[in-house]
Amino acid sequence: MTPLSAAGTAARHPAFDIDMAGRPAPQPQETFELSKQPAEVQSLVEIADKGLAAKLGIDAAQVQPLSFEHVMFDNSSLGIPERGMGYADDMENGYSVHMKAGDKTYEFNARFGSNLGKYAELPADGQMCAYFAKGPNGIMVPAPAAWGPRIS
């Protein structure tokens, strides 16, 4: 059920000005500047950055935030499905943070209201991955091609 405002229209999250009815969020900025984001977005990105740094065993200053976006995930995999796992088919209202550390790009996906989410190393070739596998330090990595086709 979509929350409604007093006027009877679909409610919007006040901090992010995001349509809670699942309509597409604004396109990410060409250059992401964390300091120009609302305080709530800054906080979520900093939590994701610090978590990635801890998992990689590096200083948080070595993690560069690339983007933040509102996402309606198709199911409880939060966009990072693991081969052989089952997921509830409920739409999940959440967010995605893309970060760079060294020469690798990472993604952190979580539900709104929760700092618990999933980290994944993204494929170097820019393709989307059909499945992920557990990698070192709890970061999901692209599964071998034999496990499923890559999709773009």
Side-chain angles (χ1 to χ4, degrees):
M1 175 169 281
T2 301
L4 296 179
S5 68
T9 58
R12 296 179 75 83
H13 190 288
F16 306 108
D17 195 28
I18 292 170
D19 191 328
M20 298 295 279
R23 288 185 277 267
Q27 292 297 313
Q29 301 168 356
E30 201 166 298
T31 302
F32 182 76
E33 293 185 46
L34 185 58
S35 63
K36 292 185 177 182
Q37 303 301 315
E40 293 83 358
V41 169
Q42 289 182 31
S43 175
L44 294 172
V45 170
E46 288 170 3
I47 288 168
D49 286 357
K50 288 178 183 177
L52 178 63
K55 287 182 176 295
L56 295 174
I58 61 174
D59 187 83
Q62 294 178 277
V63 178
Q64 174 190 0
L66 300 175
S67 68
F68 173 95
E69 63 182 313
H70 169 260
V71 180
M72 288 298 293
F73 297 108
D74 291 336
N75 57 41
S76 62
S77 75
L78 302 178
I80 304 174
E82 185 177 349
R83 180 83 172 169
M85 297 293 292
Y87 299 99
D89 283 332
D90 297 331
M91 296 292 285
E92 298 284 348
N93 186 18
Y95 62 95
S96 182
V97 178
H98 285 90
M99 302 158 281
K100 189 168 188 76
D103 62 349
K104 295 183 179 177
T105 303
Y106 298 89
E107 180 174 280
F108 174 74
N109 294 343
R111 292 175 190 87
F112 277 116
S114 172
N115 294 332
L116 300 175
K118 292 182 172 185
Y119 287 92
E121 178 183 323
L122 299 179
D125 60 9
Q127 296 280 318
M128 291 299 295
C129 188
Y131 295 104
F132 289 82
K134 288 184 181 173
N137 306 321
I139 297 173
M140 302 297 282
V141 296
W147 283 17
R150 285 163 114 45
I151 51 177
S152 31

Short mmCIF file of all heavy atoms in Angstrom, two decimals, residues 61-129:
data_model
loop_
_atom_site.label_atom_id
_atom_site.label_comp_id
_atom_site.label_asym_id
_atom_site.label_seq_id
_atom_site.Cartn_x
_atom_site.Cartn_y
_atom_site.Cartn_z
N ALA A 61 39.37 7.17 3.97
CA ALA A 61 39.73 8.24 3.03
C ALA A 61 40.10 7.69 1.66
O ALA A 61 40.11 8.42 0.67
CB ALA A 61 40.88 9.06 3.59
N GLN A 62 40.39 6.39 1.57
CA GLN A 62 40.75 5.77 0.30
C GLN A 62 39.52 5.33 -0.50
O GLN A 62 39.65 4.84 -1.61
CB GLN A 62 41.65 4.56 0.55
CG GLN A 62 43.00 4.95 1.11
CD GLN A 62 43.85 3.73 1.39
OE1 GLN A 62 43.72 3.11 2.43
NE2 GLN A 62 44.69 3.38 0.43
N VAL A 63 38.32 5.51 0.08
CA VAL A 63 37.07 5.15 -0.60
C VAL A 63 36.45 6.43 -1.13
O VAL A 63 36.22 7.38 -0.38
CB VAL A 63 36.10 4.43 0.35
CG1 VAL A 63 34.79 4.12 -0.36
CG2 VAL A 63 36.73 3.15 0.90
N GLN A 64 36.19 6.46 -2.44
CA GLN A 64 35.61 7.65 -3.08
C GLN A 64 34.16 7.37 -3.44
O GLN A 64 33.87 6.46 -4.22
CB GLN A 64 36.38 7.98 -4.36
CG GLN A 64 35.77 9.10 -5.14
CD GLN A 64 36.40 9.26 -6.52
OE1 GLN A 64 37.31 8.53 -6.89
NE2 GLN A 64 35.90 10.21 -7.27
N PRO A 65 33.20 8.14 -2.89
CA PRO A 65 31.80 7.95 -3.27
C PRO A 65 31.58 8.42 -4.70
O PRO A 65 32.09 9.46 -5.10
CB PRO A 65 31.03 8.80 -2.26
CG PRO A 65 32.00 9.83 -1.79
CD PRO A 65 33.36 9.20 -1.90
N LEU A 66 30.84 7.62 -5.48
CA LEU A 66 30.57 7.97 -6.88
C LEU A 66 29.12 8.39 -7.11
O LEU A 66 28.85 9.24 -7.95
CB LEU A 66 30.90 6.79 -7.79
CG LEU A 66 32.34 6.29 -7.76
CD1 LEU A 66 32.48 5.04 -8.62
CD2 LEU A 66 33.29 7.38 -8.24
N SER A 67 28.19 7.75 -6.39
CA SER A 67 26.79 8.09 -6.60
C SER A 67 25.93 7.56 -5.46
O SER A 67 26.32 6.65 -4.74
CB SER A 67 26.27 7.52 -7.92
OG SER A 67 26.22 6.11 -7.86
N PHE A 68 24.76 8.15 -5.33
CA PHE A 68 23.72 7.70 -4.41
C PHE A 68 22.42 7.76 -5.20
O PHE A 68 22.16 8.74 -5.89
CB PHE A 68 23.62 8.63 -3.20
CG PHE A 68 22.44 8.31 -2.30
CD1 PHE A 68 22.62 7.49 -1.21
CD2 PHE A 68 21.18 8.82 -2.55
CE1 PHE A 68 21.56 7.17 -0.38
CE2 PHE A 68 20.12 8.51 -1.73
CZ PHE A 68 20.30 7.70 -0.64
N GLU A 69 21.62 6.71 -5.11
CA GLU A 69 20.32 6.78 -5.77
C GLU A 69 19.29 5.94 -5.06
O GLU A 69 19.61 4.95 -4.42
CB GLU A 69 20.41 6.38 -7.25
CG GLU A 69 20.84 4.97 -7.51
CD GLU A 69 20.97 4.67 -9.00
OE1 GLU A 69 20.05 5.02 -9.76
OE2 GLU A 69 21.99 4.09 -9.37
N HIS A 70 18.05 6.42 -5.15
CA HIS A 70 16.91 5.68 -4.63
C HIS A 70 16.64 4.53 -5.58
O HIS A 70 16.72 4.70 -6.80
CB HIS A 70 15.69 6.61 -4.58
CG HIS A 70 14.42 5.89 -4.30
ND1 HIS A 70 13.53 5.57 -5.29
CD2 HIS A 70 13.90 5.42 -3.15
CE1 HIS A 70 12.50 4.93 -4.76
NE2 HIS A 70 12.70 4.83 -3.46
N VAL A 71 16.35 3.35 -5.03
CA VAL A 71 16.11 2.18 -5.87
C VAL A 71 14.90 1.42 -5.34
O VAL A 71 14.76 1.26 -4.12
CB VAL A 71 17.34 1.23 -5.87
CG1 VAL A 71 17.08 0.01 -6.73
CG2 VAL A 71 18.59 1.95 -6.33
N MET A 72 14.04 0.97 -6.22
CA MET A 72 12.98 0.03 -5.86
C MET A 72 13.48 -1.34 -6.31
O MET A 72 13.47 -1.65 -7.50
CB MET A 72 11.66 0.37 -6.54
CG MET A 72 10.99 1.61 -5.98
SD MET A 72 10.51 1.50 -4.25
CE MET A 72 9.23 0.27 -4.29
N PHE A 73 13.99 -2.13 -5.36
CA PHE A 73 14.50 -3.45 -5.69
C PHE A 73 13.34 -4.40 -5.98
O PHE A 73 12.30 -4.33 -5.34
CB PHE A 73 15.34 -4.00 -4.53
CG PHE A 73 16.57 -3.17 -4.23
CD1 PHE A 73 16.63 -2.38 -3.10
CD2 PHE A 73 17.65 -3.18 -5.09
CE1 PHE A 73 17.75 -1.62 -2.82
CE2 PHE A 73 18.78 -2.42 -4.82
CZ PHE A 73 18.83 -1.64 -3.68
N ASP A 74 13.55 -5.31 -6.94
CA ASP A 74 12.50 -6.26 -7.33
C ASP A 74 12.21 -7.30 -6.26
O ASP A 74 11.13 -7.86 -6.22
CB ASP A 74 12.89 -7.00 -8.62
CG ASP A 74 12.88 -6.09 -9.83
OD1 ASP A 74 12.18 -5.06 -9.80
OD2 ASP A 74 13.58 -6.41 -10.80
N ASN A 75 13.22 -7.59 -5.43
CA ASN A 75 13.03 -8.61 -4.40
C ASN A 75 14.02 -8.38 -3.27
O ASN A 75 14.79 -7.42 -3.28
CB ASN A 75 13.17 -10.02 -4.99
CG ASN A 75 14.50 -10.24 -5.67
OD1 ASN A 75 15.54 -9.82 -5.18
ND2 ASN A 75 14.48 -10.90 -6.82
N SER A 76 14.03 -9.29 -2.30
CA SER A 76 14.87 -9.10 -1.12
C SER A 76 16.35 -9.39 -1.35
O SER A 76 17.14 -9.30 -0.43
CB SER A 76 14.34 -9.96 0.04
OG SER A 76 14.39 -11.33 -0.30
N SER A 77 16.75 -9.70 -2.60
CA SER A 77 18.19 -9.85 -2.87
C SER A 77 18.87 -8.49 -2.90
O SER A 77 20.10 -8.40 -2.90
CB SER A 77 18.41 -10.54 -4.23
OG SER A 77 18.14 -9.65 -5.30
N LEU A 78 18.09 -7.42 -2.92
CA LEU A 78 18.60 -6.04 -2.97
C LEU A 78 19.51 -5.82 -4.17
O LEU A 78 20.49 -5.09 -4.11
CB LEU A 78 19.32 -5.68 -1.68
CG LEU A 78 18.50 -5.79 -0.39
CD1 LEU A 78 19.35 -5.44 0.82
CD2 LEU A 78 17.26 -4.93 -0.46
N GLY A 79 19.19 -6.48 -5.28
CA GLY A 79 19.95 -6.28 -6.51
C GLY A 79 21.26 -7.02 -6.58
O GLY A 79 22.00 -6.86 -7.54
N ILE A 80 21.55 -7.85 -5.58
CA ILE A 80 22.79 -8.62 -5.56
C ILE A 80 22.43 -10.08 -5.27
O ILE A 80 22.65 -10.57 -4.16
CB ILE A 80 23.78 -8.05 -4.52
CG1 ILE A 80 24.03 -6.56 -4.79
CG2 ILE A 80 25.09 -8.82 -4.55
CD1 ILE A 80 24.87 -5.86 -3.74
N PRO A 81 21.84 -10.77 -6.25
CA PRO A 81 21.40 -12.15 -6.01
C PRO A 81 22.56 -13.14 -5.93
O PRO A 81 23.51 -13.06 -6.69
CB PRO A 81 20.53 -12.45 -7.23
CG PRO A 81 21.09 -11.57 -8.30
CD PRO A 81 21.56 -10.32 -7.61
N GLU A 82 22.44 -14.04 -4.97
CA GLU A 82 23.44 -15.09 -4.81
C GLU A 82 22.89 -16.39 -5.39
O GLU A 82 21.74 -16.75 -5.14
CB GLU A 82 23.76 -15.28 -3.33
CG GLU A 82 24.88 -16.26 -3.09
CD GLU A 82 25.22 -16.38 -1.61
OE1 GLU A 82 24.74 -15.57 -0.80
OE2 GLU A 82 25.99 -17.30 -1.28
N ARG A 83 23.70 -17.07 -6.17
CA ARG A 83 23.31 -18.32 -6.82
C ARG A 83 22.79 -19.31 -5.78
O ARG A 83 23.38 -19.50 -4.73
CB ARG A 83 24.52 -18.92 -7.54
CG ARG A 83 24.25 -20.21 -8.26
CD ARG A 83 23.67 -19.94 -9.59
NE ARG A 83 23.59 -21.16 -10.37
CZ ARG A 83 22.94 -21.24 -11.49
NH1 ARG A 83 22.35 -20.17 -11.98
NH2 ARG A 83 22.86 -22.35 -12.15
N GLY A 84 21.64 -19.91 -6.06
CA GLY A 84 21.08 -20.94 -5.20
C GLY A 84 20.25 -20.42 -4.04
O GLY A 84 19.70 -21.20 -3.28
N MET A 85 20.13 -19.10 -3.89
CA MET A 85 19.35 -18.53 -2.79
C MET A 85 17.96 -18.16 -3.28
O MET A 85 17.77 -17.80 -4.44
CB MET A 85 20.04 -17.28 -2.23
CG MET A 85 21.40 -17.54 -1.63
SD MET A 85 21.33 -18.54 -0.13
CE MET A 85 20.52 -17.41 0.98
N GLY A 86 16.99 -18.26 -2.40
CA GLY A 86 15.63 -17.83 -2.71
C GLY A 86 15.37 -16.48 -2.07
O GLY A 86 15.89 -16.17 -1.00
N TYR A 87 14.57 -15.66 -2.73
CA TYR A 87 14.30 -14.32 -2.24
C TYR A 87 12.81 -14.02 -2.31
O TYR A 87 12.14 -14.42 -3.26
CB TYR A 87 15.07 -13.28 -3.07
CG TYR A 87 16.56 -13.47 -3.00
CD1 TYR A 87 17.25 -14.13 -4.00
CD2 TYR A 87 17.28 -13.02 -1.89
CE1 TYR A 87 18.63 -14.32 -3.92
CE2 TYR A 87 18.65 -13.20 -1.80
CZ TYR A 87 19.32 -13.85 -2.81
OH TYR A 87 20.67 -14.05 -2.72
N ALA A 88 12.32 -13.28 -1.31
CA ALA A 88 10.93 -12.84 -1.32
C ALA A 88 10.72 -11.90 -2.50
O ALA A 88 11.55 -11.04 -2.77
CB ALA A 88 10.60 -12.15 0.00
N ASP A 89 9.59 -12.05 -3.18
CA ASP A 89 9.31 -11.24 -4.37
C ASP A 89 8.65 -9.90 -4.04
O ASP A 89 7.98 -9.31 -4.87
CB ASP A 89 8.42 -12.02 -5.34
CG ASP A 89 9.20 -13.06 -6.11
OD1 ASP A 89 10.41 -12.87 -6.31
OD2 ASP A 89 8.60 -14.07 -6.49
N ASP A 90 8.84 -9.41 -2.85
CA ASP A 90 8.29 -8.12 -2.47
C ASP A 90 9.19 -7.00 -2.97
O ASP A 90 10.41 -7.11 -2.94
CB ASP A 90 8.19 -8.01 -0.94
CG ASP A 90 7.24 -9.03 -0.35
OD1 ASP A 90 6.28 -9.42 -1.05
OD2 ASP A 90 7.44 -9.42 0.81
N MET A 91 8.57 -5.93 -3.43
CA MET A 91 9.34 -4.75 -3.82
C MET A 91 9.98 -4.17 -2.55
O MET A 91 9.34 -4.09 -1.52
CB MET A 91 8.44 -3.69 -4.47
CG MET A 91 7.81 -4.14 -5.78
SD MET A 91 9.00 -4.33 -7.10
CE MET A 91 9.33 -2.63 -7.49
N GLU A 92 11.25 -3.82 -2.64
CA GLU A 92 11.99 -3.28 -1.50
C GLU A 92 12.40 -1.85 -1.81
O GLU A 92 13.10 -1.59 -2.77
CB GLU A 92 13.24 -4.13 -1.23
CG GLU A 92 12.96 -5.57 -0.86
CD GLU A 92 12.47 -5.73 0.56
OE1 GLU A 92 12.56 -4.76 1.35
OE2 GLU A 92 12.00 -6.83 0.89
N ASN A 93 11.96 -0.91 -0.99
CA ASN A 93 12.29 0.50 -1.15
C ASN A 93 13.64 0.74 -0.49
O ASN A 93 13.80 0.59 0.71
CB ASN A 93 11.20 1.35 -0.49
CG ASN A 93 11.38 2.82 -0.73
OD1 ASN A 93 12.09 3.23 -1.65
ND2 ASN A 93 10.75 3.63 0.09
N GLY A 94 14.65 1.07 -1.28
CA GLY A 94 15.97 1.22 -0.72
C GLY A 94 16.83 2.20 -1.47
O GLY A 94 16.33 3.07 -2.19
N TYR A 95 18.13 2.03 -1.29
CA TYR A 95 19.09 2.93 -1.92
C TYR A 95 20.34 2.17 -2.31
O TYR A 95 20.61 1.08 -1.81
CB TYR A 95 19.43 4.10 -1.00
CG TYR A 95 20.09 3.72 0.30
CD1 TYR A 95 21.48 3.73 0.43
CD2 TYR A 95 19.33 3.33 1.40
CE1 TYR A 95 22.09 3.39 1.62
CE2 TYR A 95 19.94 2.98 2.60
CZ TYR A 95 21.31 3.01 2.71
OH TYR A 95 21.92 2.67 3.89
N SER A 96 21.09 2.76 -3.23
CA SER A 96 22.32 2.17 -3.73
C SER A 96 23.41 3.24 -3.72
O SER A 96 23.18 4.38 -4.15
CB SER A 96 22.11 1.65 -5.15
OG SER A 96 23.28 1.04 -5.63
N VAL A 97 24.58 2.86 -3.20
CA VAL A 97 25.74 3.76 -3.17
C VAL A 97 26.84 3.09 -3.98
O VAL A 97 27.18 1.94 -3.74
CB VAL A 97 26.24 4.00 -1.73
CG1 VAL A 97 27.47 4.91 -1.74
CG2 VAL A 97 25.13 4.59 -0.86
N HIS A 98 27.37 3.80 -4.98
CA HIS A 98 28.52 3.30 -5.75
C HIS A 98 29.77 4.01 -5.23
O HIS A 98 29.74 5.21 -4.99
CB HIS A 98 28.33 3.55 -7.24
CG HIS A 98 27.35 2.62 -7.86
ND1 HIS A 98 26.01 2.90 -7.94
CD2 HIS A 98 27.52 1.39 -8.38
CE1 HIS A 98 25.39 1.89 -8.50
NE2 HIS A 98 26.28 0.95 -8.78
N MET A 99 30.83 3.22 -5.07
CA MET A 99 32.08 3.74 -4.52
C MET A 99 33.25 3.16 -5.29
O MET A 99 33.14 2.11 -5.91
CB MET A 99 32.22 3.33 -3.05
CG MET A 99 31.08 3.79 -2.17
SD MET A 99 30.93 2.80 -0.66
CE MET A 99 30.09 1.36 -1.28
N LYS A 100 34.38 3.85 -5.22
CA LYS A 100 35.60 3.37 -5.85
C LYS A 100 36.68 3.28 -4.78
O LYS A 100 36.82 4.17 -3.95
CB LYS A 100 36.03 4.33 -6.95
CG LYS A 100 37.16 3.81 -7.82
CD LYS A 100 37.29 4.68 -9.05
CE LYS A 100 38.26 4.09 -10.03
NZ LYS A 100 37.74 2.97 -10.78
N ALA A 101 37.41 2.18 -4.80
CA ALA A 101 38.56 1.99 -3.92
C ALA A 101 39.65 1.35 -4.76
O ALA A 101 39.45 0.27 -5.32
CB ALA A 101 38.21 1.11 -2.72
N GLY A 102 40.76 2.05 -4.92
CA GLY A 102 41.81 1.56 -5.81
C GLY A 102 41.28 1.57 -7.23
O GLY A 102 40.67 2.54 -7.67
N ASP A 103 41.46 0.46 -7.94
CA ASP A 103 40.98 0.38 -9.32
C ASP A 103 39.68 -0.40 -9.44
O ASP A 103 39.27 -0.77 -10.54
CB ASP A 103 42.06 -0.25 -10.22
CG ASP A 103 42.41 -1.67 -9.80
OD1 ASP A 103 41.99 -2.11 -8.71
OD2 ASP A 103 43.10 -2.35 -10.58
N LYS A 104 38.97 -0.63 -8.32
CA LYS A 104 37.73 -1.40 -8.34
C LYS A 104 36.55 -0.53 -7.94
O LYS A 104 36.68 0.41 -7.15
CB LYS A 104 37.83 -2.60 -7.42
CG LYS A 104 38.87 -3.61 -7.90
CD LYS A 104 38.91 -4.81 -7.01
CE LYS A 104 39.96 -5.80 -7.55
NZ LYS A 104 40.09 -6.95 -6.70
N THR A 105 35.39 -0.88 -8.51
CA THR A 105 34.15 -0.19 -8.19
C THR A 105 33.28 -1.13 -7.37
O THR A 105 33.17 -2.32 -7.67
CB THR A 105 33.43 0.25 -9.47
OG1 THR A 105 34.31 1.07 -10.25
CG2 THR A 105 32.17 1.04 -9.15
N TYR A 106 32.64 -0.57 -6.35
CA TYR A 106 31.81 -1.35 -5.45
C TYR A 106 30.42 -0.72 -5.35
O TYR A 106 30.24 0.47 -5.62
CB TYR A 106 32.43 -1.39 -4.05
CG TYR A 106 33.78 -2.06 -4.01
CD1 TYR A 106 34.94 -1.34 -4.23
CD2 TYR A 106 33.88 -3.43 -3.78
CE1 TYR A 106 36.18 -1.94 -4.21
CE2 TYR A 106 35.12 -4.05 -3.75
CZ TYR A 106 36.27 -3.31 -3.97
OH TYR A 106 37.49 -3.92 -3.95
N GLU A 107 29.48 -1.54 -4.92
CA GLU A 107 28.11 -1.09 -4.74
C GLU A 107 27.65 -1.54 -3.36
O GLU A 107 27.96 -2.65 -2.93
CB GLU A 107 27.24 -1.73 -5.81
CG GLU A 107 25.78 -1.38 -5.77
CD GLU A 107 25.05 -1.96 -6.98
OE1 GLU A 107 25.12 -1.36 -8.05
OE2 GLU A 107 24.42 -3.02 -6.82
N PHE A 108 26.92 -0.67 -2.67
CA PHE A 108 26.29 -1.03 -1.40
C PHE A 108 24.81 -0.80 -1.58
O PHE A 108 24.38 0.30 -1.94
CB PHE A 108 26.82 -0.16 -0.25
CG PHE A 108 26.09 -0.40 1.04
CD1 PHE A 108 26.32 -1.56 1.77
CD2 PHE A 108 25.18 0.52 1.53
CE1 PHE A 108 25.65 -1.79 2.97
CE2 PHE A 108 24.51 0.30 2.72
CZ PHE A 108 24.75 -0.85 3.44
N ASN A 109 24.01 -1.82 -1.38
CA ASN A 109 22.56 -1.73 -1.51
C ASN A 109 21.92 -2.05 -0.17
O ASN A 109 22.31 -3.02 0.48
CB ASN A 109 22.04 -2.70 -2.57
CG ASN A 109 22.51 -2.34 -3.96
OD1 ASN A 109 22.96 -1.23 -4.21
ND2 ASN A 109 22.40 -3.27 -4.87
N ALA A 110 20.93 -1.25 0.22
CA ALA A 110 20.23 -1.48 1.49
C ALA A 110 18.81 -0.96 1.39
O ALA A 110 18.46 -0.19 0.49
CB ALA A 110 20.97 -0.78 2.63
N ARG A 111 17.99 -1.41 2.33
CA ARG A 111 16.63 -0.89 2.46
C ARG A 111 16.71 0.43 3.22
O ARG A 111 17.56 0.60 4.08
CB ARG A 111 15.78 -1.86 3.29
CG ARG A 111 15.50 -3.16 2.63
CD ARG A 111 14.75 -4.08 3.62
NE ARG A 111 14.67 -5.41 3.08
CZ ARG A 111 15.61 -6.36 3.23
NH1 ARG A 111 16.70 -6.10 3.94
NH2 ARG A 111 15.46 -7.54 2.70
N PHE A 112 15.76 1.34 2.94
CA PHE A 112 15.67 2.54 3.77
C PHE A 112 15.31 2.10 5.18
O PHE A 112 14.56 1.15 5.38
CB PHE A 112 14.61 3.52 3.25
CG PHE A 112 15.11 4.39 2.14
CD1 PHE A 112 14.57 4.30 0.88
CD2 PHE A 112 16.12 5.30 2.36
CE1 PHE A 112 15.03 5.11 -0.15
CE2 PHE A 112 16.60 6.12 1.34
CZ PHE A 112 16.05 6.01 0.08
N GLY A 113 15.88 2.75 6.17
CA GLY A 113 15.62 2.40 7.56
C GLY A 113 16.55 1.32 8.09
O GLY A 113 16.43 0.91 9.22
N SER A 114 17.48 0.87 7.27
CA SER A 114 18.42 -0.15 7.70
C SER A 114 19.80 0.15 7.14
O SER A 114 19.94 0.48 5.98
CB SER A 114 17.98 -1.53 7.20
OG SER A 114 18.97 -2.50 7.47
N ASN A 115 20.80 0.05 7.99
CA ASN A 115 22.18 0.21 7.53
C ASN A 115 22.77 -1.13 7.16
O ASN A 115 23.91 -1.22 6.74
CB ASN A 115 23.04 0.88 8.61
CG ASN A 115 22.60 2.29 8.87
OD1 ASN A 115 22.05 2.95 7.98
ND2 ASN A 115 22.79 2.76 10.07
N LEU A 116 21.99 -2.20 7.36
CA LEU A 116 22.45 -3.53 6.98
C LEU A 116 22.10 -3.73 5.53
O LEU A 116 20.95 -3.59 5.13
CB LEU A 116 21.78 -4.60 7.85
CG LEU A 116 22.04 -4.48 9.34
CD1 LEU A 116 21.22 -5.54 10.09
CD2 LEU A 116 23.51 -4.63 9.64
N GLY A 117 23.07 -4.05 4.74
CA GLY A 117 22.83 -4.24 3.32
C GLY A 117 23.87 -5.17 2.76
O GLY A 117 24.49 -5.95 3.49
N LYS A 118 24.07 -5.08 1.47
CA LYS A 118 25.01 -5.95 0.78
C LYS A 118 26.04 -5.12 0.02
O LYS A 118 25.70 -4.13 -0.62
CB LYS A 118 24.29 -6.85 -0.23
CG LYS A 118 23.38 -7.88 0.38
CD LYS A 118 22.78 -8.72 -0.72
CE LYS A 118 22.02 -9.89 -0.18
NZ LYS A 118 21.56 -10.76 -1.27
N TYR A 119 27.28 -5.57 0.10
CA TYR A 119 28.37 -4.97 -0.68
C TYR A 119 28.69 -5.92 -1.83
O TYR A 119 28.70 -7.13 -1.66
CB TYR A 119 29.63 -4.81 0.17
CG TYR A 119 29.55 -3.70 1.18
CD1 TYR A 119 29.11 -3.94 2.47
CD2 TYR A 119 29.94 -2.40 0.83
CE1 TYR A 119 29.05 -2.91 3.40
CE2 TYR A 119 29.88 -1.38 1.77
CZ TYR A 119 29.44 -1.64 3.05
OH TYR A 119 29.38 -0.62 3.97
N ALA A 120 28.97 -5.35 -2.99
CA ALA A 120 29.39 -6.16 -4.14
C ALA A 120 30.47 -5.43 -4.92
O ALA A 120 30.42 -4.21 -5.07
CB ALA A 120 28.21 -6.45 -5.06
N GLU A 121 31.43 -6.21 -5.39
CA GLU A 121 32.42 -5.69 -6.33
C GLU A 121 31.78 -5.79 -7.70
O GLU A 121 31.25 -6.84 -8.07
CB GLU A 121 33.68 -6.54 -6.27
CG GLU A 121 34.75 -6.11 -7.25
CD GLU A 121 35.96 -7.03 -7.21
OE1 GLU A 121 36.32 -7.52 -6.12
OE2 GLU A 121 36.52 -7.27 -8.30
N LEU A 122 31.79 -4.71 -8.45
CA LEU A 122 31.15 -4.72 -9.76
C LEU A 122 32.11 -5.23 -10.82
O LEU A 122 33.32 -5.01 -10.73
CB LEU A 122 30.64 -3.33 -10.11
CG LEU A 122 29.59 -2.78 -9.13
CD1 LEU A 122 29.18 -1.39 -9.53
CD2 LEU A 122 28.39 -3.70 -9.04
N PRO A 123 31.58 -5.90 -11.85
CA PRO A 123 32.46 -6.39 -12.92
C PRO A 123 33.24 -5.26 -13.57
O PRO A 123 32.70 -4.18 -13.82
CB PRO A 123 31.47 -7.02 -13.92
CG PRO A 123 30.25 -7.32 -13.12
CD PRO A 123 30.18 -6.25 -12.06
N ALA A 124 34.51 -5.52 -13.83
CA ALA A 124 35.39 -4.50 -14.41
C ALA A 124 34.95 -4.07 -15.80
O ALA A 124 35.21 -2.96 -16.24
CB ALA A 124 36.83 -5.01 -14.45
N ASP A 125 34.24 -4.96 -16.51
CA ASP A 125 33.84 -4.65 -17.88
C ASP A 125 32.56 -3.81 -17.95
O ASP A 125 32.05 -3.53 -19.02
CB ASP A 125 33.69 -5.93 -18.70
CG ASP A 125 32.64 -6.90 -18.13
OD1 ASP A 125 31.90 -6.51 -17.19
OD2 ASP A 125 32.59 -8.03 -18.62
N GLY A 126 32.02 -3.43 -16.79
CA GLY A 126 30.84 -2.59 -16.76
C GLY A 126 29.53 -3.32 -16.98
O GLY A 126 28.47 -2.71 -16.95
N GLN A 127 29.57 -4.61 -17.21
CA GLN A 127 28.36 -5.40 -17.43
C GLN A 127 27.66 -5.67 -16.09
O GLN A 127 28.29 -5.66 -15.04
CB GLN A 127 28.71 -6.74 -18.08
CG GLN A 127 29.30 -6.62 -19.45
CD GLN A 127 28.23 -6.39 -20.49
OE1 GLN A 127 27.18 -7.00 -20.46
NE2 GLN A 127 28.49 -5.50 -21.43
N MET A 128 26.38 -5.95 -16.15
CA MET A 128 25.67 -6.40 -14.97
C MET A 128 25.90 -7.90 -14.86
O MET A 128 26.14 -8.57 -15.85
CB MET A 128 24.17 -6.12 -15.08
CG MET A 128 23.84 -4.65 -15.02
SD MET A 128 24.35 -3.85 -13.48
CE MET A 128 23.31 -4.66 -12.30
N CYS A 129 25.82 -8.41 -13.66
CA CYS A 129 26.09 -9.82 -13.42
C CYS A 129 24.78 -10.50 -13.00
O CYS A 129 24.04 -9.97 -12.18
CB CYS A 129 27.14 -9.94 -12.32
SG CYS A 129 27.73 -11.58 -12.07
#
